[in-house]
Amino acid sequence: MVNFVGAGPGAKDLVTIRAYKLIASAGIIIYAGSLVNPELLGYANKNCQFYNSAEMTLEEIIDVMSDASSKGIEVVRLHTGDPCIYGAIREQMDRLDSLGIPYAYCPGVSSFCGAAASLNIEYTLPGISQSIIITRMEGRTPVPEKESIESFAAHNSTMVLFLSTGMAGELSHKLVSGGYAGDTPAAIVYKSTWEDEEKYVCTIETLEETAKKHNITRTALIIIGDVLMQGGYKRSELYNPYFTTGYREALTGD
Ligand code: SAH
């Protein structure tokens, strides 16, 4: 059995109880060494073998899984954050399917949730934005033309950019040419929830300058949108005393 497990954004206690148990009982852990906090490996048992996937190809990873499966060894494939976002899990699952190796998926706390916690923000403020666009600048992995930064920027919603801090200058141009005002609030969160976390609130126009000043090129998220402002939003209707919900009658009168 192979378990794809979300390792959370960094802090070693930000994993689910299920993830903790799977790590503790694994015979082999293949972890994304570039981003997974090595302290999580401390939850493993003393006989566990470790493989750093940063140094491996997909074929090598599958070989380890397949060999373990033939010996009845439980494998944990530890991915940073939640594996469903830029985790490259589908290609592993497809190969396991073709080899007839069973697998399960244990979700984790994505770094975009970790970053909201670091900044104490809500991405979906009534009256400001009710949508989060999660995307990235094109790198070695191409981004489909229909998903250009400019086209997403036209929505002026909350946007979270993974894998893009090294291209902050180009990103700012695209965001502004797509429709955000240059002074729209922006934030850079580096190693959210790790002990050496850093976070900076700036504007779209000052993103590159802020990233350069603090020497941040990777392991960071860029967050864009007016939700980063203090105030300016409407209160929720759900908790409004003059609004009836399925669980509570509205107050009447003045
Ligand atoms: N599956 C992961 C994302 C993997 S892609 C998740 O759900 O978070 C790798 C990118 O994620 C990094 O380049 C960075 O943009 C972001 N990232 C991962 N961990 C991070 C953290 N602790 N703080 C800020 N950004 C992080």
Side-chain angles (χ1 to χ4, degrees):
M1 181 72 156
V2 175
N3 282 287
F4 293 95
V5 175
K12 70 171 184 179
D13 54 354
L14 270 180
V15 287
T16 63
I17 294 170
R18 186 185 297 181
Y20 173 81
K21 288 181 177 166
L22 288 168
I23 293 170
S25 62
I28 289 180
I29 297 179
I30 309 173
Y31 64 100
S34 52
L35 286 163
V36 167
N37 187 344
E39 285 189 50
L40 284 172
L41 306 180
Y43 297 145
N45 67 68
K46 63 178 181 353
N47 299 318
C48 184
Q49 285 173 261
F50 301 105
Y51 292 86
N52 179 358
S53 65
E55 297 159 357
M56 299 164 78
T57 63
L58 171 62
E59 287 71 14
E60 288 167 342
I61 291 168
I62 300 298
D63 281 349
V64 171
M65 290 175 172
S66 148
D67 186 53
S69 157
S70 68
K71 293 175 181 150
I73 299 172
E74 293 275 315
V75 177
V76 160
R77 174 72 173 103
L78 205 49
H79 282 276
T80 179
D82 187 286
C84 76
I85 299 181
Y86 307 118
I89 50 167
R90 185 68 256 167
E91 60 188 23
Q92 298 174 70
M93 290 173 169
D94 283 344
R95 281 171 172 75
L96 295 180
D97 280 338
S98 66
L99 293 167
I101 298 171
Y103 54 85
Y105 176 167
C106 170
V109 179
S110 176
S111 59
F112 86 92
C113 300
S118 303
L119 294 163
N120 287 324
I121 59 162
E122 177 177 342
Y123 288 133
T124 53
L125 284 177
I128 295 190
S129 179
Q130 288 291 288
S131 311
I132 310 162
I133 293 176
I134 291 177
T135 188
R136 59 170 297 170
M137 286 283 280
E138 183 162 287
R140 237 170 309 170
T141 305
V143 173
E145 180 72 41
K146 63 184 168 52
E147 296 174 17
S148 69
I149 300 286
E150 290 89 339
S151 68
F152 286 146
H155 295 281
N156 267 243
S157 69
T158 304
M159 196 186 289
V160 179
L161 292 121
F162 284 71
L163 299 155
S164 304
T165 320
M167 294 169 268
E170 197 186 335
L171 171 66
S172 294
H173 286 301
K174 288 179 185 285
L175 291 170
V176 172
S177 74
Y180 281 106
D183 61 357
T184 303
I188 301 176
V189 185
Y190 169 76
K191 291 186 87 175
S192 165
T193 81
W194 290 66
E195 274 174 16
D196 50 348
E197 165 185 297
E198 292 178 41
K199 55 191 172 182
Y200 305 99
V201 177
C202 56
T203 65
I204 290 181
E205 273 162 350
T206 57
L207 265 174
E208 185 178 32
E209 174 190 326
T210 308
K212 280 202 172 134
K213 183 169 162 202
H214 300 284
N215 229 338
I216 301 174
T217 54
R218 58 201 303 178
T219 327
L221 290 172
I222 292 178
I223 294 147
I224 306 293
D226 288 337
V227 294
L228 286 159
M229 281 193 299
Q230 306 291 323
Y233 61 92
K234 297 196 177 78
R235 65 171 290 167
S236 71
E237 297 298 1
L238 186 62
Y239 297 107
N240 185 337
Y242 297 102
F243 188 81
T244 297
T245 74
Y247 299 94
R248 185 174 53 73
E249 281 299 312
L251 290 180
T252 50
D254 301 328

